[in-house]
Amino acid sequence: MRLSRYFLPTLREPPREAEIVSHRLMLRAGMMRQEAAGIYAFLPLGLRVLRKIEQIVREEQNRSGAIELLMPTIQSAELWRESGRYDAYGKEMLRIQDRHEREMLYGPTNEEMITEIFRASVRSYKDLPLNLYHIQWKFRDEVRPRFGLMRGREFLMKDAYSFDVDEAGARHSYNKMFVAYLRTFKRLGLTSIPMRADTGPIGGDLSHEFIVLADTGESQVFCHKDYLGMAVPDEKVNFDDIAGLQKTVDQWTSLYAATEDMHEPDKYAAVPADAQVSARGIEVGHIFYFGTKYSLPMKAVVATADGKEVPVHMGSYGIGPSRLAAAIIEASHDEAGIVWPEPVAPFKVALLNLKQGDAATDGACDQLYAELTAKGVDVLYNDIDERAGAKFANADLIGLPWQVMVGPRGLAEGKVEIKNRKTGEKEQMSPAAAVDLLG
Ligand code: ATP
Ligand code: MG
Ligand code: MG
Ligand code: MG
């Protein structure tokens, strides 16, 4: 992409309304723009990041055996009356009336709708297990939308829903999501820690919040430091191996980890002092087994092997891709700007023409751009007529993993300069070597 033909409205001045670094940097880097409190337009650069996050989330859901569908954002109040949540949900739900004065709502989550879809067509244990997910916008009328995408009112969520004939099956489904989440966050360049979360009136121990440690996190968390280096299963993990998955989950739940709500000071005190981590955290995912909470009132039943009808056992599993975009920046930035982990970077390479209008420099840049693009590398080519200093600052701000700097002085010796945004290391090499390195 040539910057001269792109839409990248960066800001020079730090925006005043932004309280945390990710919010500040996303506005400055021209990734998004607030249209109303907690409601954002994704500008092209921000959309590229969101799509990459979404795709990694999708790949790991698919790998675990979950199946993608797409439910609407607008729902009918009827379904929520069946589950009893229409009145209980309160002010976070955005309620809408259509022209026939029918009560509708903008979905804050989809348990009711998926249960309706399930009960309409699944009748037998033979069709189970089943896990259906979608990646769709949600609306929650948060009391205090703030910190940009971190706590929006309209936000993107991946929500999956599992269906099993009994609790043992549901536990396996839960473990699949648990492991898929570990893998997802790892691939996004994040260290996430599953922390025991409140299961409410259902009880049991099957709810975990996945927390990324960051000073700007909204919750206080406590955990054992060994979680920070614990191994995450690789892509060969077998999701059908019930015992194998259980072993991974057992390991990842063996040490102390709890958010403030679930914190037990006496148990935490048993963690060796030098292994205690007390920090702020961001909730990036949440998984939950809730048994027959919706299937019972909504009559989603299946026939068991011995012909009995039982309400199906369900779980739900959320990830916030838009919140993740902010969380990744909280975890990966420096004074100069964003430092994108390569898997979610909006482009891989920033190509900087340091002397726009100089025939040799323009020619070398055009050729590098063509060759890298031909190799499938996403390049943002800064071909704008501005001074080199401004291009360096802009490249650091938007944080693409690699910068290729091309100017007449280097070219006289047949060299361009490559900079690694993360380490800051610079190296001179021929344009051909640069194409090899980055292609
Ligand atoms: P929080 O405690 O931050 O309000 P939640 O517990 O209400 O989140 P869940 O219902 O568990 O959220 O939703 C699943 C995921 O959706 C969360 O883990 C988070 O990643 C994301 N999410 C929830 N609320 C928001 C929001 N207001 N803005 C952005 N992402 C959100
Ligand atoms: Mg909430
Ligand atoms: Mg929460
Ligand atoms: Mg939650």
Side-chain angles (χ1 to χ4, degrees):
M1 180 59 65
R2 285 174 183 269
L3 190 56
S4 61
R5 295 179 200 166
Y6 201 44
F7 181 62
L8 184 62
T10 52
L11 306 177
R12 271 187 214 293
E13 296 302 316
R16 241 178 272 134
E17 74 266 30
E19 294 167 61
I20 63 171
V21 67
S22 58
H23 189 191
R24 225 158 24 234
L25 287 172
M26 288 181 113
L27 291 172
R28 280 189 60 209
M31 293 178 65
M32 46 87 149
R33 192 175 160 73
Q34 180 167 300
E35 297 301 330
I39 301 179
Y40 292 86
F42 280 77
L43 303 181
L45 196 76
L47 182 61
R48 288 181 81 98
V49 172
L50 188 68
R51 291 288 183 248
K52 291 213 162 166
I53 294 171
E54 217 181 298
Q55 186 54 23
I56 288 173
V57 170
R58 176 178 288 116
E59 284 170 16
E60 294 305 324
Q61 290 293 293
N62 293 348
R63 191 195 306 281
S64 78
I67 302 165
E68 186 170 11
L69 46 60
L70 184 60
M71 291 178 269
T73 53
I74 306 291
Q75 307 186 19
S76 153
E78 272 322 295
L79 278 177
W80 289 67
R81 290 224 165 79
E82 279 191 50
S83 72
R85 277 211 293 183
Y86 190 62
D87 295 323
Y89 209 92
K91 291 200 160 178
E92 251 187 37
M93 179 185 280
L94 181 65
R95 295 156 205 258
I96 308 165
Q97 236 179 34
D98 72 8
R99 60 165 67 191
H100 306 293
E101 294 182 5
R102 275 188 293 250
E103 289 172 284
M104 317 287 287
L105 57 103
Y106 195 122
T109 178
N110 284 67
E111 280 83 3
E112 284 77 0
M113 191 176 282
I114 200 77
T115 305
E116 189 280 321
I117 290 172
F118 178 90
R119 76 179 174 195
S121 46
V122 181
R123 302 261 177 274
S124 161
Y125 75 97
K126 289 181 196 153
D127 300 321
L128 305 181
L130 185 62
N131 186 326
L132 300 170
Y133 77 96
H134 71 163
I135 303 176
Q136 178 63 291
W137 296 92
K138 304 289 186 286
F139 195 96
R140 293 184 185 175
D141 205 353
E142 302 275 356
V143 198
R144 278 189 73 196
R146 58 176 186 163
F147 300 160
L149 299 184
M150 200 69 93
R151 182 167 300 283
R153 292 197 296 165
E154 187 178 67
F155 61 96
L156 194 58
M157 197 200 285
K158 182 287 300 178
D159 38 327
Y161 303 89
S162 67
F163 301 89
D164 284 274
V165 71
D166 56 21
E167 193 182 333
R171 180 173 280 269
H172 182 208
S173 293
Y174 184 90
N175 289 350
K176 286 184 192 172
M177 285 292 113
F178 190 108
V179 171
Y181 275 39
L182 289 176
R183 286 193 41 76
T184 301
F185 299 126
K186 174 91 188 283
R187 280 187 63 190
L188 293 170
L190 294 170
T191 303
S192 74
I193 305 170
M195 302 201 177
R196 230 153 50 79
D198 197 358
T199 47
I202 296 155
D205 59 353
L206 285 187
S207 180
H208 288 88
E209 288 176 359
F210 285 72
I211 302 283
V212 169
L213 301 185
D215 293 339
T216 48
E218 289 186 277
S219 13
Q220 180 65 36
V221 302
F222 306 86
C223 70
H224 194 293
K225 81 168 180 353
D226 284 1
Y227 275 123
L228 298 169
M230 206 171 265
V232 170
D234 67 21
E235 73 281 351
K236 292 193 293 289
V237 58
N238 178 1
F239 283 93
D240 293 325
D241 175 4
I242 297 176
L245 284 196
Q246 188 62 54
K247 218 174 123 195
T248 303
V249 172
D250 287 347
Q251 189 200 3
W252 273 93
T253 52
S254 59
L255 301 170
Y256 191 84
T259 60
E260 208 163 26
D261 304 344
M262 298 292 285
H263 187 45
E264 295 168 283
D266 40 324
K267 284 198 185 156
Y268 183 59
V271 175
D274 64 346
Q276 290 182 352
V277 177
S278 157
R280 304 297 293 180
I282 302 167
E283 177 190 330
V284 289
H286 194 167
I287 61 178
F288 207 122
Y289 164 66
F290 47 72
T292 59
K293 178 172 176 190
Y294 300 94
S295 56
L296 207 54
M298 293 185 67
K299 302 189 179 60
V301 294
V302 288
T304 62
D306 33 315
K308 272 192 295 194
E309 275 203 333
V310 295
V312 72
H313 286 249
M314 294 173 59
S316 73
Y317 314 88
I319 290 185
S322 50
R323 176 177 287 182
L324 274 166
I328 291 167
I329 296 174
E330 289 296 326
S332 188
H333 66 270
D334 59 21
E335 323 74 59
I338 304 169
V339 181
W340 288 115
E342 208 158 309
V344 296
F347 296 88
K348 180 174 175 181
V349 175
L351 173 60
L352 309 187
N353 183 331
L354 303 183
K355 188 132 198 189
Q356 201 68 42
D358 173 67
T361 310
D362 290 354
C365 283
D366 288 355
Q367 195 180 342
L368 271 165
Y369 179 59
E371 288 179 14
L372 285 167
T373 305
K375 288 182 95 175
V377 180
D378 281 333
V379 181
L380 185 60
Y381 174 12
N382 190 335
D383 60 346
I384 287 182
D385 191 9
E386 63 178 354
R387 44 186 195 87
K391 292 194 179 185
F392 295 142
N394 196 55
D396 281 350
L397 170 64
I398 66 175
L400 307 183
W402 298 95
Q403 297 172 13
V404 180
M405 290 162 282
V406 185
R409 233 181 305 154
L411 284 176
E413 293 164 28
K415 298 268 167 72
V416 298
E417 191 168 58
I418 309 281
K419 176 175 146 180
N420 180 304
R421 175 66 181 87
K422 186 170 177 186
T423 63
E425 275 167 44
K426 291 180 181 169
E427 205 185 325
Q428 309 263 341
M429 62 184 77
S430 69
V435 172
D436 276 350
L437 178 80
L438 301 170

